[in-house]
Amino acid sequence: MAGLIRGFAGFGLSAVVMASAATFVPPVELIPMCYMLEGAASLVMFRGGMADANMKIVWSLVICSAIGMPLGLLATTSVNVETSRNLALSLILALTLAQFFKLKPPFLATPKGLYASGLTAGVATGLASVGGMVIALYVLASGTRPKQMRASLVMFLCISMFTSLVWLIAYDVMTREALWRGVLMAPVVLTGVFAGTWLFRPAYEPLYKAVCLTLLALLSLKGLISQFV
């Protein structure tokens, strides 16, 4: 399912993995695994993204995200597992609801909004590996065409893989166990990515997107509720 959503919408893979598994695996252990899976998906989707993306915006987002990511990693590695897990799931739920209800703050359509979005995406990546959802909220506010939106998301996630790796190594988060988890799950995820890419049809995007966001909201709610039951 995570790969299917990533292939169709251009984002959401890490959010689905985090929302599904954060209840029994600490987020700090899921972040490097998500990195591996996002990397595999980015390689598959790179060619299509390069042609349609707004690369000027993509590079601004990538640079600002690289600045924000260590702040998110610092938070994730400094608090206990329960707090980290709840922060991750709450962030996923908040970002999902913001997109589901099509919230488009005017501030995001300004240059300052661009830089703030990139910085926030970096923090979100370090905290819960969900920076792509922050960028998705930004491109929704910009009124970008669906095809360009998806391509820009693909390229942002692809290029930011390089800066993310630097910080993951610096914080000693990229463990051998996480690498093996990513390798083992990659074939299944890539199958979903290919299927999602094949299903991408601009005419049907509103329906598919609503389904994807509903799934993310339900998964994150389930994870949060399970902490108190």
Side-chain angles (χ1 to χ4, degrees):
M1 181 59 72
L4 186 67
I5 292 174
R6 175 68 148 84
F8 176 79
F11 72 99
L13 188 159
S14 294
V16 173
V17 173
M18 189 69 67
S20 302
T23 54
F24 51 88
V25 179
V28 70
E29 295 181 20
L30 289 175
I31 289 173
M33 186 185 76
C34 287
Y35 171 86
M36 295 289 293
L37 299 178
E38 290 282 8
S42 294
L43 289 175
V44 170
M45 301 177 70
F46 176 80
R47 181 178 296 179
M50 190 71 174
D52 300 306
N54 185 330
M55 293 307 298
K56 182 178 180 180
I57 289 178
V58 168
W59 279 112
S60 297
L61 292 170
V62 167
I63 293 171
C64 292
S65 176
I67 297 172
M69 187 174 174
L71 300 177
L73 282 172
L74 179 63
T76 299
T77 55
S78 300
V79 300
N80 60 51
V81 173
E82 288 74 18
T83 301
S84 175
R85 179 182 295 118
N86 289 334
L87 282 172
L89 293 172
S90 297
L91 179 60
I92 292 170
L93 178 60
L95 292 173
T96 299
L97 291 176
Q99 294 185 63
F100 191 83
F101 292 107
K102 299 181 180 180
L103 298 181
K104 301 179 181 180
F107 169 74
L108 291 180
T110 66
K112 290 182 179 179
L114 170 65
Y115 304 138
S117 295
L119 188 65
T120 304
V123 175
T125 299
L127 181 63
S129 199
V130 290
M133 293 189 71
V134 178
I135 303 305
L137 182 59
Y138 168 78
V139 294
L140 276 174
S142 67
T144 304
R145 292 180 298 106
K147 189 174 183 179
Q148 188 179 64
M149 169 186 169
R150 178 174 176 272
S152 297
L153 283 165
V154 168
M155 291 309 301
F156 166 79
L157 291 170
C158 183
I159 298 173
S160 62
M161 300 303 297
F162 297 98
T163 55
S164 296
L165 180 60
V166 172
W167 289 120
L168 289 174
I169 294 174
Y171 276 81
D172 198 26
V173 173
M174 185 61 76
T175 64
R176 181 175 298 179
E177 183 179 5
L179 289 172
W180 275 113
R181 285 176 179 170
V183 170
L184 292 174
M185 290 187 63
V188 178
V189 168
L190 288 178
T191 300
V193 169
F194 284 120
T197 301
W198 181 80
L199 285 172
F200 179 70
R201 301 287 189 277
Y204 299 108
E205 183 180 0
L207 174 63
Y208 283 108
K209 187 174 183 180
V211 171
C212 295
L213 293 176
T214 300
L215 176 63
L216 289 172
L218 291 175
L219 286 171
S220 52
L221 273 174
K222 177 181 178 296
L224 287 169
I225 292 173
S226 70
Q227 302 299 306
F228 306 100
V229 176

